């Protein structure tokens, strides 16, 4: 049996004490993948941004807010795991400065300088050693090509591709590619069913394979 780290949900990057940058990730695909992994008898730790979804009670959930916090929590947990599924949508930018006071309107345009946040999966991928990593790529165009480039940059073993309609939706349509760019499977339907099918691919290609 494996110990699996799941990143899930969005992260937030605050501009001031009340405003933040984020995205519409719901954490539903993370919860569905956790359920699928538990059903196969695995141990699941979830590092999750702020979500309303309920994760299965059998999981250890580590709540975080920012992308930097998600990375720090994952760096703590990943060495104890066999693999990681990066289904989170971490916020890719933060403001250069976070105002300690609420930014007041003054009738003028407000210019924000945004700096890239760390890439959680890519950072784990660089030090993965014998562990496996599955990434999720949300692409609007050139899906296979872009997803394969991300798979390589982030040292993933498999990449699950979905479109923007997956965000905050009950259903999903995904393709799974391997590190050679081969299309392994395509699934569509309610997220719990799609997650179970995706997890079967992970189980067969990455978990059972290594247990032999
Ligand atoms: O956002 P992007 O399409 O690059 O996401 C692809 C993969 O990288 C996903 O698995 C996502 O969880 C991960 N990612 C990350 N940290 C980021 C951005 C993306 O771990 N800052």
């Amino acid at each position: 049996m494996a110990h699996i780290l799941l990143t899930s949900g969005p992260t937030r990057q605050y501009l001031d004490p009340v405003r933040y940058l984020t995205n519409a990730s719901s954490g539903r695909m993370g919860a569905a993948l956790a359920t699928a992994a538990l059903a196969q008898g695995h141990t699941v730790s979830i590092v999750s941004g702020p979500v309303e979804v309920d994760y299965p009670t059998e999981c250890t959930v580590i709540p975080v807010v920012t992308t930097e916090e998600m990375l720090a929590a994952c760096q703590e947990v990943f060495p104890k795991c066999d693999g990681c599924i990066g289904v989170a949508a971490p916020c890719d930018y933060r403001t250069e400065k976070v105002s300690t006071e609420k930014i007041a309107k003054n009738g003028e345009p407000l210019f924000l300088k945004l700096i890239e946040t760390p890439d959680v999966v890519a950072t784990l991928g660089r030090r993965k050693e014998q562990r496996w990593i599955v990434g999720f790529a949300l692409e609007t165009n050139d899906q296979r090509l872009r997803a394969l480039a991300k798979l390589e940059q982030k040292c993933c073993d498999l990449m699950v591709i979905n479109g923007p309609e997956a965000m905050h939706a009950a259903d999903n349509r995904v393709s799974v590619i391997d590190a050679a760019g081969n299309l392994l499977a395509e699934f569509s339907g309610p997220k719990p069913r799609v997650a179970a099918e995706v997890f079967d691919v992970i189980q067969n290609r990455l978990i059972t394979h290594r247990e032999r």
Side-chain angles (χ1 to χ4, degrees), residues 129-158:
E129 297 168 2
Q130 77 294 352
R131 295 175 201 90
W132 50 265
I133 301 193
V134 178
F136 272 68
L138 194 154
E139 306 294 344
T140 53
N141 51 305
D142 296 333
Q143 290 191 327
R144 284 270 284 281
L145 208 67
R146 285 170 184 264
L148 186 58
K150 283 184 187 172
L151 181 150
E152 284 168 5
Q153 283 157 13
K154 302 181 191 220
C155 307
C156 293
D157 298 272
L158 295 176

Side-chain angles (χ1 to χ4, degrees), residues 7 67 70 85-92 117-122 134-139 150 154 156 159:
T7 69
T67 301
M70 180 170 276
I85 308 176
V87 67
C91 188
D92 289 320
T117 54
D119 193 298
V120 178
V121 163
V134 178
F136 272 68
L138 194 154
E139 306 294 344
K150 283 184 187 172
K154 302 181 191 220
C156 293
M159 188 61 88

Side-chain angles (χ1 to χ4, degrees), residues 24 36 72 124 143 165 195:
L124 299 181
Q143 290 191 327
E165 60 282 357

Side-chain angles (χ1 to χ4, degrees), residues 149-188:
K150 283 184 187 172
L151 181 150
E152 284 168 5
Q153 283 157 13
K154 302 181 191 220
C155 307
C156 293
D157 298 272
L158 295 176
M159 188 61 88
V160 183
I161 310 168
N162 49 35
E165 60 282 357
M167 279 286 200
H168 228 285
D171 288 2
N172 206 353
R173 171 188 295 273
V174 307
S175 316
V176 186
I177 58 167
D178 69 9
N182 298 311
L183 177 64
L184 299 180
E186 289 183 298
F187 306 115
S188 62

Side-chain angles (χ1 to χ4, degrees), residues 68-81:
E68 291 87 348
E69 287 170 10
M70 180 170 276
L71 176 59
C74 287
Q75 283 177 316
E76 185 81 23
V77 179
F78 191 52
K80 301 167 202 149
C81 293

